[in-house]
Amino acid sequence: MSGTLHFGPDNHIKARNVKGDYAVLVIQAVLMMTAIALISSSVHCKNVKPCELQTALDFIYLKYSTHPCKYNAIKEMSSGFLGLGIILLCWNAILFLLTMCICWWKFGEKKQIIAVLILYIIIIIGTFAIFIVNLEKYIRFMKEREAQRDVDYIQLENEMMSALEQNFRSDNTSSNDLKSSAWNRFFIEHNCCAVHDVMGTTNDFDNTPWCTTSGSCQDTSSQIPRTCCKDVTLNNYTSAPSTCHASVNSGTYKPNCMDQVRKRSVKNIDEYQLGILSLSLLFSMILQILEVTIMTVLLFLPCCGCKNEK
């Protein structure tokens, strides 16, 4: 019929790029595997244990101004990465099934072709929306990874000193004062004493409530906690020699705690896990771009089978 569009089955089968549909299937399958890798690395980062330094500082209830673990910001972002991975996996699983239907669909009816075109548009819009979210998270991830700074030990030293002066009230590990008890246990477990080196009867404990308000230091029977003496344990620290806690003779007490703190690791996430996370985010974006590009091309190909009959 002259002047009308004719949708012939043979024309449409020839016009549609079947290879393009199968290429999309492959991309979607790889995207699902990438999403699984993203989910796995995100779960690992989300459930990672605190770094050694954080564990030590939390033990004495220290309120630090900057987080001691190197990649803590990425750990906090991991829930978002996990959500993105789940969305990627579910979305591409659905698209995979739909694309398989498209590949096996026998075209010829105008309604069928229109339905496929609408489906292509939905796939393009949905995939592009996820790509935008993926891109935003990748940029944030890279910024946080590059922005990691070394621990400011001078600031940390000041914070520890302030905490000691405010909270140390007893040299008893079983004290009802949790913070004092924690400090004493810290001295024993980390084999250290005070924040700075003890140089004699004048030391870091002079301005603590233990020395200024009440305690064995305030009544001058001790100058440093008994838990600071060498070779003491939780079981025998009460029998520490007076030459240590009272006279503060050189060589009888432990070195400062700041040196021990500096030895604690600040890493809570392995570099290879960060690499997997980074590659998963980047690779998924590349695949999404390819998918949208191919689907956009396929969106217009069916029209190639349409022709005017005169």
Side-chain angles (χ1 to χ4, degrees):
M1 183 176 178
S2 178
T4 61
L5 294 176
H6 174 70
F7 294 86
D10 293 336
N11 288 334
H12 287 301
I13 291 174
K14 293 178 182 179
R16 289 190 64 251
N17 191 339
V18 178
K19 291 183 179 180
D21 284 336
Y22 282 111
V24 170
L25 274 176
V26 173
I27 291 173
Q28 290 165 351
V30 177
L31 264 170
M32 284 189 283
M33 291 186 286
T34 304
I36 292 172
L38 178 59
I39 291 171
S40 176
S41 58
S42 299
V43 169
H44 176 86
C45 293
K46 186 174 184 292
N47 297 326
V48 74
K49 294 180 179 179
C51 63
E52 291 179 359
L53 181 56
Q54 181 185 353
T55 301
L57 299 181
D58 286 346
F59 189 85
I60 54 176
Y61 301 95
L62 184 71
K63 295 181 179 179
Y64 30 79
S65 55
T66 56
H67 203 281
C69 296
K70 187 175 182 180
Y71 295 121
N72 185 69
I74 293 177
K75 178 181 183 295
E76 293 178 348
M77 293 167 59
S78 59
S79 294
F81 298 144
L82 176 59
L84 174 62
I86 293 173
I87 291 172
L88 269 174
L89 180 60
C90 295
W91 175 250
N92 282 283
I94 294 171
L95 295 190
F96 186 83
L97 295 175
L98 292 176
T99 306
M100 287 183 66
C101 292
I102 292 173
C103 290
W104 296 338
W105 202 332
K106 300 299 183 182
F107 289 87
E109 295 294 332
K110 182 178 179 180
K111 290 182 179 180
Q112 289 179 322
I113 296 172
I114 293 175
V116 170
L117 294 180
I118 293 173
L119 183 59
Y120 281 170
I121 293 172
I122 293 173
I123 292 174
I124 291 170
I125 294 174
T127 301
F128 185 74
I130 296 175
F131 169 80
I132 295 299
V133 176
N134 197 335
L135 178 62
E136 183 270 336
K137 291 191 179 299
Y138 178 75
I139 292 173
R140 283 187 58 201
F141 170 82
M142 295 306 296
K143 284 183 177 179
E144 290 295 344
R145 188 175 183 181
E146 294 173 3
Q148 300 307 313
R149 298 287 185 270
D150 293 333
V151 177
D152 186 345
Y153 286 106
I154 295 177
Q155 180 180 351
L156 182 57
E157 182 178 332
N158 293 333
E159 291 171 348
M160 287 182 65
M161 189 64 205
S162 176
L164 181 70
E165 290 181 339
Q166 291 177 19
N167 302 323
F168 196 81
R169 302 176 183 277
S170 169
D171 66 345
N172 191 336
T173 60
S174 57
S175 168
N176 291 330
D177 189 302
L178 293 179
K179 293 182 179 180
S180 293
S181 178
W183 273 103
N184 283 296
R185 289 175 177 272
F186 187 87
F187 295 153
I188 292 176
E189 291 186 17
H190 292 273
N191 196 35
C192 64
C193 177
V195 178
H196 307 102
D197 281 322
V198 173
M199 304 303 293
T201 55
T202 300
N203 51 66
D204 288 350
F205 298 98
D206 290 347
N207 295 323
T208 64
W210 179 58
C211 287
T212 60
T213 306
S214 64
S216 55
C217 177
Q218 195 270 339
D219 62 24
T220 68
S221 60
S222 291
Q223 299 298 325
I224 60 173
R226 290 168 293 175
T227 50
C228 278
C229 297
K230 282 186 174 181
D231 302 322
V232 298
T233 66
L234 288 173
N235 297 323
N236 66 11
Y237 76 93
T238 54
S239 302
S242 60
T243 53
C244 170
H245 67 87
S247 303
V248 197
N249 291 345
S250 179
T252 61
Y253 46 83
K254 303 169 186 175
N256 73 80
C257 289
M258 199 60 212
D259 286 345
Q260 294 299 318
V261 166
R262 290 176 184 272
K263 295 177 182 178
R264 302 280 84 82
S265 172
V266 297
K267 287 187 177 181
N268 56 342
I269 302 177
D270 294 328
E271 292 292 339
Y272 81 91
Q273 284 293 344
L274 293 176
I276 294 174
L277 193 57
S278 174
L279 287 175
S280 298
L281 290 168
L282 179 60
F283 196 47
S284 61
M285 286 192 298
I286 294 173
L287 291 173
Q288 287 172 81
I289 291 173
L290 286 174
E291 184 178 22
V292 169
T293 301
I294 294 174
M295 295 301 289
T296 302
V297 173
L298 293 177
L299 178 64
F300 296 101
L301 284 182
C303 295
C304 295
C306 305
K307 61 181 181 179
N308 289 325
E309 289 186 353
K310 295 183 180 180

